């Protein structure tokens, strides 16, 4: 199958952004639905027999790419209203041959997880993406899926465009993750759904566990056991998934930007509503509290098997941090905005053990180092992290334009930095923010930001 060019491959026209300090941030915000849970809700609903209802779905470009892909493989995914979706599944084993390449836009999660779905079905699918996604290596998911029998042909360097020829019946494997990755774990488990026998994944370092929680919720036979070698996850294949009613909690990765903003801007007091606090995802809030942040959990509750609370965050003076690398998987997407917090702390923060950040939407270590330097922060780049010399609350100098490298989290992190800067912070392109948080800038304005 030939791979047509992706409509996302040349990014839309750049949207420069200037953001400046505007005084205290006040009020309530409701962040979009959790991105990880949104992706998985669509995929597992597409494999269930019957109709699932989803509310609170994140409607950023990444999740919409997943919705389009499951439609292309036979599921019916219908938007009923803002965040409200109805999905009629084809059943495990029932995916249909897509008639054209699956355009993943900028979404690495969509790509890796859907590769797992296709790998154990007797279909062939070609994955394409934008320039940023096409530069990201897929080798760590290609290896286990190939062990299961899928025939995968990537572009040079294990990159997109990439074609997966699934095998049925696929071969169950026992696989120890060489690098902590929820995406690789999830791809193997999703492939295991249509694989006879038991598929086993061993996690030496725990990663976000939304896939395990949701697979069990949909009726898959799955066990998770702590052992000396790590978490052992065993899935019995040829599953029959039952449709569900899913309420997606607010995304902690999106909430992180407002938590840091309220922490660093003097006089601020923000409540972030309905935030998912899954312990495999909430490392950023623990790190901020260790630095002295004032974060209060209000009305803690459980929604759909996930812990949720409202977070009240007030301005606080921060001290430097040296986070445990073992906690990195629980906050891997939040390190860019943690660097911003560290840059305003008292003392020097050494944040290491996060080499995974070099293969995200951009090389986030190098990109953040360059951007922080441009707004007056002294940093030292490490192979696996950054040393950040804090300014003890002194505003950033401002400046730019900051190169975001088509990375939504870089753009949002420097927007937050601009809220406590002596001069405006200029960002070269805010357009990528739409991939995960389409209403980020309007929400910032509602609590008093000037952007």
């Amino acid at each position: 199958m030939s791979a047509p060019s992706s409509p996302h491959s040349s990014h839309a026209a750049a949207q420069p952004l200037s953001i400046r300090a505007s005084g205290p941030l006040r009020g309530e915000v409701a962040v979009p639905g959790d991105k990880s849970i949104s992706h998985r809700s669509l995929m597992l609903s597409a494999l269930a027999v019957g109709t699932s209802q989803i509310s609170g779905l994140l409607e950023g470009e990444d999740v919409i790419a997943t919705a389009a892909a499951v439609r292309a493989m036979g599921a019916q995914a219908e938007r009923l209203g803002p965040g409200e979706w109805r999905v009629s599944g084809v059943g495990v084993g029932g995916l249909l041959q897509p008639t054209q390449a699956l355009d993943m836009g900028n979404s690495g999660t969509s790509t890796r997880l859907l590769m797992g779905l296709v790998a154990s079905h007797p279909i062939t699918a070609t994955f394409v993406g934008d320039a940023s996604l096409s530069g990201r290596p897929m080798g760590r998911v290609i290896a286990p899926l190939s062990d299961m029998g899928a025939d995968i042909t990537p572009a040079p360097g294990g990159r997109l465009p990439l074609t997966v020829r699934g095998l049925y019946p696929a071969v169950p494997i026992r696989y120890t993750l060489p690098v902590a990755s929820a995406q690789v774990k999830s791809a193997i488990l999703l492939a295991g759904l249509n694989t006879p026998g038991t598929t086993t994944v061993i996690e030496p370092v725990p990663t976000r566990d939304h896939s395990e929680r949701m697979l069990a919720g949909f009726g898959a036979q799955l066990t998770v056991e702590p052992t000396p070698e790590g978490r052992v996850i065993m899935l019995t294949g040829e599953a029959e998934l039952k449709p569900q009613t899913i309420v997606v909690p607010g995304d902690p990765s999106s909430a992180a930007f407002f938590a840091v903003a309220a922490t660093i801007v003097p006089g601020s007091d923000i409540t972030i509503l309905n935030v998912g606090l899954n312990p495999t995802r909430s490392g950023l809030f623990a790190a901020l509290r260790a630095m002295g942040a004032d974060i209060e959990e209000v009305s803690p509750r459980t929604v759909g098997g996930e812990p949720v609370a409202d977070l009240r965050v007030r301005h606080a003076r921060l001290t430097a941090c040296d986070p445990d690398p073992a906690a990195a998987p629980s906050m891997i997407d939040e390190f860019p905005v943690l660097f911003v917090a560290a840059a305003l702390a008292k003392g020097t923060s050494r944040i290491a053990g996060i080499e995974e950040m070099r293969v995200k939407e951009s090389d986030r270590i190098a990109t953040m180092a360059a951007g922080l330097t441009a707004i007056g922060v002294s940093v030292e780049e490490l192979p696996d992290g950054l040393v950040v010399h804090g300014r003890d609350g002194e505003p950033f100098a401002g400046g730019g334009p900051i190169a975001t490298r088509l990375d939504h989290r870089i753009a949002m992190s420097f927007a937050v930095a601009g809220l406590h800067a002596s001069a405006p912070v200029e960002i070269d392109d805010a357009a990528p923010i739409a991939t995960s948080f389409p209403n980020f800038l309007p929400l910032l304005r509602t609590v008093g930001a000037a952007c």
Side-chain angles (χ1 to χ4, degrees):
M1 179 186 290
S2 61
S5 62
S6 164
H8 297 275
S9 55
S10 57
H11 198 273
Q15 297 176 12
L17 173 68
S18 178
I19 187 162
R20 58 182 171 81
S22 52
L25 305 174
R26 302 282 176 85
E28 291 184 344
V29 293
V31 298
D34 184 282
K35 187 153 72 106
S36 295
I37 295 175
S38 293
H39 282 301
R40 290 159 174 80
S41 296
L42 288 169
M43 292 182 199
L44 294 181
S45 296
L47 290 177
V49 177
T51 299
S52 295
Q53 304 284 338
I54 307 171
S55 60
L57 189 86
L58 170 64
E59 293 177 330
E61 292 171 359
D62 284 9
V63 175
I64 298 305
T66 291
V70 298
R71 280 195 201 105
M73 292 187 283
Q76 295 178 9
E78 179 185 7
R79 183 179 188 267
L80 305 178
E84 302 289 328
W85 287 65
R86 181 169 57 211
V87 182
S88 297
V90 295
V92 171
L95 293 180
L96 302 180
Q97 173 75 44
T99 58
Q100 59 189 34
L102 303 176
D103 186 351
M104 300 290 97
N106 187 239
S107 181
T109 302
S110 303
T111 306
R112 295 187 176 102
L113 271 59
L114 288 166
M115 285 172 64
L117 281 191
V118 171
S120 60
H121 283 74
I123 61 175
T124 298
T126 294
F127 296 83
V128 298
D130 69 7
S132 170
L133 181 62
S134 298
R136 297 175 68 179
M138 297 291 157
R140 63 177 57 165
V141 73
I142 290 172
L145 296 180
S146 298
D147 289 347
M148 298 180 78
D151 178 9
I152 303 176
T153 307
R159 292 173 164 81
L160 270 55
L162 172 154
T163 298
V164 180
R165 296 171 185 83
L167 176 68
Y168 180 78
V171 180
I173 60 172
R174 181 181 178 88
Y175 191 78
T176 300
L177 294 177
V179 176
S181 171
Q183 291 180 1
V184 176
K185 170 181 66 176
S186 299
I188 298 167
L189 294 175
L190 290 172
L193 282 172
N194 199 42
T195 299
T198 301
T199 296
T200 303
V201 180
I202 301 164
E203 276 193 315
V205 178
T207 66
R208 59 186 65 177
D209 65 354
H210 302 302
S211 291
E212 297 95 300
R213 289 174 184 248
M214 293 192 72
L215 282 163
F218 272 84
Q221 290 183 255
L222 178 140
T223 62
V224 181
E225 296 290 343
T227 75
E229 57 183 335
R231 291 174 80 242
V232 176
I233 305 144
M234 302 177 69
L235 175 76
T236 301
E238 299 183 298
E240 181 169 328
L241 302 186
K242 300 173 180 61
Q244 301 295 310
T245 298
I246 300 164
V247 179
V248 181
D251 194 320
S253 296
S254 297
F257 299 101
F258 284 89
V260 171
T263 297
I264 67 174
V265 177
S268 295
D269 186 345
I270 291 177
T271 298
I272 313 165
L273 303 174
N274 193 43
V275 180
L277 294 176
N278 182 304
T280 65
R281 293 286 304 284
S282 56
L284 182 278
F285 305 119
L288 288 176
R289 286 190 178 106
M291 297 170 72
D294 181 356
I295 302 174
E296 177 188 358
E297 292 184 17
V298 180
S299 302
R301 52 205 182 268
T302 299
V303 179
E306 295 276 349
V308 171
D310 303 329
L311 296 182
R312 184 179 183 187
V313 188
R314 286 167 277 203
H315 168 66
R317 296 291 293 271
L318 300 177
T319 55
C321 63
D322 185 5
D324 182 352
S330 70
M331 55 193 291
I332 195 64
D333 287 330
E334 290 76 71
F335 279 105
V337 79
L338 180 64
F339 291 153
V340 171
L344 290 173
K346 180 179 182 179
T348 296
S349 298
R350 181 183 176 88
I351 304 171
I354 53 172
E355 58 273 8
E356 173 77 5
M357 282 186 60
R358 292 203 182 272
V359 292
K360 289 290 187 176
E361 283 82 339
S362 67
D363 177 340
R364 287 180 172 164
I365 294 173
T367 306
M368 286 300 300
L372 288 169
T373 300
I375 61 172
V377 183
S378 175
V379 302
E380 299 155 38
E381 190 173 332
L382 306 171
D384 64 343
L386 277 185
V387 175
V388 182
H389 300 284
R391 298 169 64 86
D392 195 12
E394 180 186 343
F396 296 113
I402 306 299
T404 59
R405 310 288 182 203
L406 301 180
D407 191 321
H408 54 130
R409 299 200 196 278
I410 302 295
M412 289 187 280
S413 296
F414 282 102
V416 168
L419 299 172
H420 190 55
S422 299
V425 169
E426 309 290 340
I427 297 166
D428 69 347
D429 188 7
I433 292 172
T435 65
S436 69
F437 201 158
N439 64 334
F440 172 70
L441 294 174
L443 266 186
L444 265 188
R445 295 183 193 111
T446 68
V447 294
C451 56

